Amino acid sequence: MNYRHAYHAGNFADVVKHVLLTRIIEYLKRKPGAFRVIDTHAGSGLYDLSSEEAQKTGEWRNGIGRLLDAKLPDDVTALAAPYLDAVRAFNAGHPFRYYPGSPVLTKQLLRGADRLTAIELHPEDCFALRTRFAGDWQVRVIELDGWLAMGSQVPPKEKRGLVIVDPPFEKEGEFKRIVDGLQKAHRRWPGGTYALWYPIKDHNAVTAMREMLKQTGIPKIMDVVFELRQPSAEPRFDGTGMIVVNPPYVLEDELKVLLPALREVFAEDRSALAETVWVTPA
């Protein structure tokens, strides 16, 4: 599976992933102490939905485009507000065109003392990130393999924060790299929060990953599962998932509000699934 960000920016998976990301960051902001967000596969930062790549798939129309048009209950609106406000901020005064990736979205939410480390291996995407954040003392951009960063960039000096792992799934073995990378980082920084994205396409590979996670012995692993439809007979992008390690204590209850509403917006049939599952006990 090739999941290069530019082709899929703003699709349903991005929406679910980024709503979850904003809820974790909003929780970190509850305490006065500074924190750091480490984004291991940061991409280029901001995506033009009128670009050739985005137009080729048009996935954003059934993602962020659909959510922006949805009538949401008040409690869902309140929880989704940090995410939706950040997206709208990049489209003020003109037709909807831009979608912020995780590093740009994160930067929008940081307080003055908080920091972002954005890591990207692709030279062109890393250059775009450096250009966007030039002169911004809150952001450090590093051209590096994100999997190596799982060992070299933790723990941060702030001792509080979040590691976002959002690989493009361009190579074989990404599910195993997720587990191996988590183990390596968790040994160095067991108190950090980790959010690791994965696509639900090869259902057997997803099941195998969950079993590998159980075998790590790492506690407090939550799996946030979002499936558009019943599993397809042939490999197809049926859903999206996020492994969250050391989730904020409020996150599960917030997702009980958010996930049913997002399922209502994006579901393709009655088999659509949106739930949290504890892979290892809290």
Side-chain angles (χ1 to χ4, degrees), residues 108-126:
Q108 285 284 99
L109 299 174
L110 296 183
R111 304 166 302 179
D114 304 323
R115 300 290 184 272
L116 166 65
T117 299
I119 298 160
E120 176 55 47
L121 181 61
H122 193 285
E124 291 179 11
D125 288 352
C126 189

Side-chain angles (χ1 to χ4, degrees), residues 83-153:
Y83 164 68
L84 291 174
D85 289 349
V87 172
R88 289 185 176 115
F90 286 95
N91 294 278
H94 52 73
F96 189 78
R97 177 175 174 180
Y98 297 103
Y99 186 81
S102 53
V104 171
L105 184 62
T106 296
K107 177 57 176 66
Q108 285 284 99
L109 299 174
L110 296 183
R111 304 166 302 179
D114 304 323
R115 300 290 184 272
L116 166 65
T117 299
I119 298 160
E120 176 55 47
L121 181 61
H122 193 285
E124 291 179 11
D125 288 352
C126 189
F127 178 79
L129 272 182
R130 283 206 173 105
T131 301
R132 173 157 298 281
F133 292 122
D136 191 328
W137 57 273
Q138 283 187 280
V139 182
R140 182 186 182 198
V141 177
I142 304 173
E143 185 174 335
L144 180 68
D145 184 336
W147 297 118
L148 295 178
M150 296 288 282
S152 65
Q153 299 299 313

Side-chain angles (χ1 to χ4, degrees), residues 42-250:
S44 60
L46 187 68
Y47 301 96
D48 185 344
L49 300 179
S50 69
S51 69
E52 181 180 350
E53 294 91 343
Q55 289 295 315
K56 184 175 181 180
T57 62
E59 290 182 14
W60 69 271
R61 293 184 177 87
N62 287 324
I64 185 60
R66 188 179 292 184
L67 184 64
L68 289 172
D69 290 338
K71 175 69 174 176
L72 301 174
D74 290 345
D75 54 352
V76 176
T77 298
L79 290 172
Y83 164 68
L84 291 174
D85 289 349
V87 172
R88 289 185 176 115
F90 286 95
N91 294 278
H94 52 73
F96 189 78
R97 177 175 174 180
Y98 297 103
Y99 186 81
S102 53
V104 171
L105 184 62
T106 296
K107 177 57 176 66
Q108 285 284 99
L109 299 174
L110 296 183
R111 304 166 302 179
D114 304 323
R115 300 290 184 272
L116 166 65
T117 299
I119 298 160
E120 176 55 47
L121 181 61
H122 193 285
E124 291 179 11
D125 288 352
C126 189
F127 178 79
L129 272 182
R130 283 206 173 105
T131 301
R132 173 157 298 281
F133 292 122
D136 191 328
W137 57 273
Q138 283 187 280
V139 182
R140 182 186 182 198
V141 177
I142 304 173
E143 185 174 335
L144 180 68
D145 184 336
W147 297 118
L148 295 178
M150 296 288 282
S152 65
Q153 299 299 313
V154 297
K157 66 179 182 179
E158 292 83 2
K159 306 301 182 185
R160 298 180 61 230
L162 166 67
V163 178
I164 308 164
V165 184
D166 184 11
F169 280 81
E170 293 177 321
K171 301 177 181 178
E172 293 291 328
E174 294 284 55
F175 285 103
K176 186 175 188 304
R177 274 187 282 273
I178 282 178
V179 178
D180 292 345
L182 174 61
Q183 284 185 288
K184 180 167 59 176
H186 191 268
R187 281 194 294 267
R188 293 174 58 89
W189 191 29
T193 297
Y194 299 84
L196 305 100
W197 178 81
Y198 66 90
I200 300 176
K201 183 177 181 183
D202 182 340
H203 292 262
N204 290 332
V206 172
T207 299
M209 178 194 65
R210 291 176 184 143
E211 188 56 38
M212 285 190 287
L213 287 168
K214 289 179 183 178
Q215 299 303 317
T216 64
I218 297 172
K220 301 180 182 178
I221 301 180
M222 175 193 290
D223 190 4
V224 182
V225 183
F226 192 93
E227 299 183 13
L228 295 174
R229 53 187 165 259
Q230 64 181 349
S232 303
E234 299 295 329
R236 187 182 177 196
F237 192 18
D238 290 327
T240 183
M242 184 78 89
I243 299 295
V244 185
V245 181
N246 294 326
Y249 78 95
V250 297

